[in-house]
Amino acid sequence: MMFHNSWLRQKALLLFWVAVALIVDPQAPSGQLGLGEFGPRSAFADDDGGGDDGGDDGGGDDGGRSGASSGGSQTSSRRSTGPNLFRTLTDRFLPRPPRRSGRRAQRPALPLPSRAPDQIVATGLSSAEIGRLQATGFTVLDRADIQLLGSQLIRLRIPPNMPLEAARDLVIDAAPQSTADFVHYYRPGQETECAGPHCTAAGLIGWPAGTGLPAGCGGNVTIGLIDTAINPAHAAFSKGRVEVLRLSDDGVAESGRQHGTAVAALLVGGADSRTPGLLPHARLIAVDAFHRGDRQDDRSDAYDLLRALDLLSARGVQVTNMSLSGPANALLEQFVRKLSERGMVIVAAAGNGGPRAEPAYPAAYAEVIAVTAVDRMKRPYRRAGRGEHIDLAAPGVQVWTAASVSGARPKTGTSFAAPFVTAAAALMKSANSNATAADIQDALGKSAEDLGAPGKDAVFGWGLLNARTACVVTSKKATPQSMPEDSAGGEGSL
């Protein structure tokens, strides 16, 4: 600070003497300023505010600048401008102030929106209640009959200039028996940084290879998938065991096919393809519930997720994979609870927000099996979410699976760990169709390989998925004595 103040004082003094020199030079011609003893006389125009570009004045258009000064031998071969003159003087007579170090901070990218800015989703509204809401300025954008709840799901646009929170509260107050919340967005969890040869993810969890599945295991269960668009023409699905259902074709831009294709191939990719799936003979009903958002992100919203879940429930799906994450939502929580009570096992990715991120949903709901990712050395994926809601870990770093158009590539993210647990749950469900969702969640946790602190922890949950026990009876009525001796899997086995 002292140096800076001293420099400013010297600068002011120098300016004073420059002014004196300019005034007292009697030989300066008209239109030029005398510099006295400070340097050669040069001409510059009033509009010549350019910087020191190192150019010369030889020939060409000078942009309206005045010509060289008179005086013959006194003429400078390089035009000096006002700023250049001052820079020359200060560089000669004054030390420069210290420069600030470091690069200019880049403006952080705006976060992607977490919800629709002007919409509410609700269920349980009567026609009269909807009419009263419309009278206050609400608009019904869409509605769908939901078999699971026996009522309609309504998408509402809120009145202009009404805060979103106030609009939700108004809907709740208008119909206390209803459930209403924001139209939250949910996104697939995928990282694109991976490269390199495929890893032996299935071997890491002891997945039975080839004909290693016991008789009657894995052949009578239908798996549901809620994800982005899928490329049904990919060679991994040549056996035709994937049914793709798109929720809407009303002009909404289709989401990318990379994520959904990769997750589907992990589950049911053909055994003779470059990306054999965990259950190549199983049937998959994939609901494309996503669209390309205005920020060029793939997103699904709460309204479409609820429709997708209801559709899968109506089709008799028993195990559903949701490699997506977003905020907590009251209606989604209600759906998840009812589906779990009806026996559907829901597996969801823990999210890639990082160890300090808030819990991601639907994974953080108690009825959902929350899956985090580990690498081939059983180390936690550095961007995986953590918390007491984490249930299991599975391979999710450089997992070899289908690319969007053809061929394959490694993928990283909790999205690609979830299908391993979904497949194991499907095996358990096929082995015992009477097993409840809670039975299967409990059995998977007890048989897991403990990786972190003893018992369940916030990093690995109960530990690494152990697929060796996937085809055993999973009812809570089962006892440890009824299980094969080699299925113990450590302290947490059945």
Side-chain angles (χ1 to χ4, degrees):
M1 182 62 71
M2 293 180 61
F3 175 83
H4 184 72
N5 292 338
S6 174
W7 185 85
L8 288 176
R9 287 195 296 270
Q10 294 180 60
K11 176 181 175 181
L13 182 61
L14 178 60
L15 287 173
F16 169 78
W17 287 112
V18 169
V20 171
L22 293 175
I23 293 172
V24 301
D25 189 348
Q27 298 179 354
S30 175
Q32 300 181 24
L33 298 178
L35 299 182
E37 60 180 306
F38 285 96
R41 287 188 291 250
S42 299
F44 55 90
D46 291 341
D47 63 347
D48 190 7
D52 184 10
D53 60 5
D56 58 43
D57 295 333
D61 184 5
D62 65 359
R65 295 171 183 169
S66 60
S69 66
S70 61
S73 61
Q74 296 275 342
T75 301
S76 171
S77 63
R78 181 172 181 175
R79 185 172 314 220
S80 296
T81 66
N84 286 340
L85 167 65
F86 181 74
R87 181 182 300 171
T88 301
L89 293 171
T90 54
D91 285 349
R92 177 179 297 182
F93 295 103
L94 295 177
R96 291 191 177 187
R99 293 183 178 180
R100 295 179 180 179
S101 60
R103 296 181 178 178
R104 180 180 297 176
Q106 294 184 351
R107 180 178 298 177
L110 293 175
L112 293 172
S114 64
R115 62 195 184 191
D118 59 351
Q119 296 178 24
I120 298 294
V121 61
T123 187
L125 296 173
S126 67
S127 297
E129 290 163 342
I130 294 174
R132 287 194 291 270
L133 288 170
Q134 288 175 315
T136 62
F138 284 85
T139 302
V140 176
L141 296 176
D142 201 0
R143 61 179 75 201
D145 293 323
I146 298 299
Q147 179 178 329
L148 180 65
L149 300 179
S151 65
Q152 280 195 328
L153 184 67
I154 309 294
R155 185 198 290 266
L156 298 166
R157 174 169 287 143
I158 68 176
N161 302 319
M162 179 179 287
L164 193 59
E165 290 78 5
R168 180 185 60 179
D169 295 342
L170 187 59
V171 173
I172 294 173
D173 293 340
Q177 81 286 352
S178 70
T179 304
D181 209 334
F182 307 127
V183 180
H184 287 117
Y185 293 142
Y186 297 81
R187 295 182 171 85
Q190 171 174 302
E191 297 297 330
T192 59
E193 64 183 34
C194 306
H198 68 279
C199 61
T200 55
L204 190 68
I205 59 173
W207 191 264
T211 59
L213 294 177
C217 180
N220 61 344
V221 64
T222 299
I223 301 174
L225 174 64
I226 301 177
D227 214 294
T228 67
I230 290 174
N231 177 15
H234 197 286
F237 311 127
S238 61
K239 302 301 181 183
R241 299 184 180 276
V242 178
E243 180 183 1
V244 181
L245 306 175
R246 190 166 188 228
L247 287 183
S248 177
D249 290 314
D250 56 359
V252 178
E254 185 181 88
S255 61
R257 297 184 172 190
Q258 296 92 336
H259 191 272
T261 301
V263 174
L266 280 172
L267 288 167
V268 298
D272 56 351
S273 70
R274 289 186 60 193
T275 56
L278 297 164
L279 296 174
H281 302 296
R283 182 185 177 209
L284 181 71
I285 300 179
V287 182
D288 174 8
F290 283 74
H291 64 276
R292 182 59 56 91
D294 53 7
R295 296 278 298 277
Q296 299 304 304
D297 59 305
D298 289 337
R299 66 175 69 161
S300 181
D301 59 41
Y303 181 84
D304 284 339
L305 283 188
L306 300 179
R307 292 171 59 204
L309 284 169
D310 189 64
L311 180 61
L312 292 177
S313 176
R315 298 289 293 272
V317 168
Q318 300 162 299
V319 181
T320 296
N321 188 97
M322 299 180 73
S323 289
L324 51 89
S325 59
N329 184 279
L331 277 78
L332 182 58
E333 183 178 13
Q334 181 185 29
F335 264 53
V336 164
R337 186 179 301 114
K338 285 185 174 293
L339 289 171
S340 178
E341 291 171 355
R342 295 191 177 194
M344 181 187 286
V345 181
I346 300 177
V347 180
N352 303 324
R356 297 184 180 181
E358 292 295 320
Y361 295 86
Y365 292 128
E367 297 82 5
V368 177
I369 301 176
V371 184
T372 188
V374 295
D375 65 13
R376 70 185 69 185
M377 302 301 293
K378 303 180 183 179
R379 297 170 300 196
Y381 173 47
R382 61 189 178 88
R383 293 182 180 174
R386 299 183 181 184
E388 296 304 317
H389 62 285
I390 302 297
D391 293 304
L392 290 167
V397 178
Q398 292 190 331
V399 176
W400 187 252
T401 186
S404 59
V405 178
S406 63
R409 61 165 297 171
K411 300 277 188 176
T412 291
T414 58
S415 278
F416 309 108
F420 290 91
V421 177
T422 299
L427 290 184
M428 288 184 165
K429 195 72 173 179
S430 68
N432 182 2
S433 60
N434 294 324
T436 67
D439 288 337
I440 291 178
Q441 184 170 2
D442 184 62
L444 287 171
K446 287 182 177 179
S447 63
E449 177 188 347
D450 200 346
L451 294 181
K456 190 177 183 183
D457 62 74
V459 179
F460 302 101
W462 290 110
L464 181 65
L465 172 68
N466 177 13
R468 298 172 183 86
T469 63
C471 280
V472 297
V473 177
T474 57
S475 170
K476 285 184 177 179
K477 295 179 181 179
T479 62
Q481 289 76 17
S482 65
M483 310 302 291
E485 292 183 2
D486 61 352
S487 67
E491 183 178 336
S493 63
L494 280 171

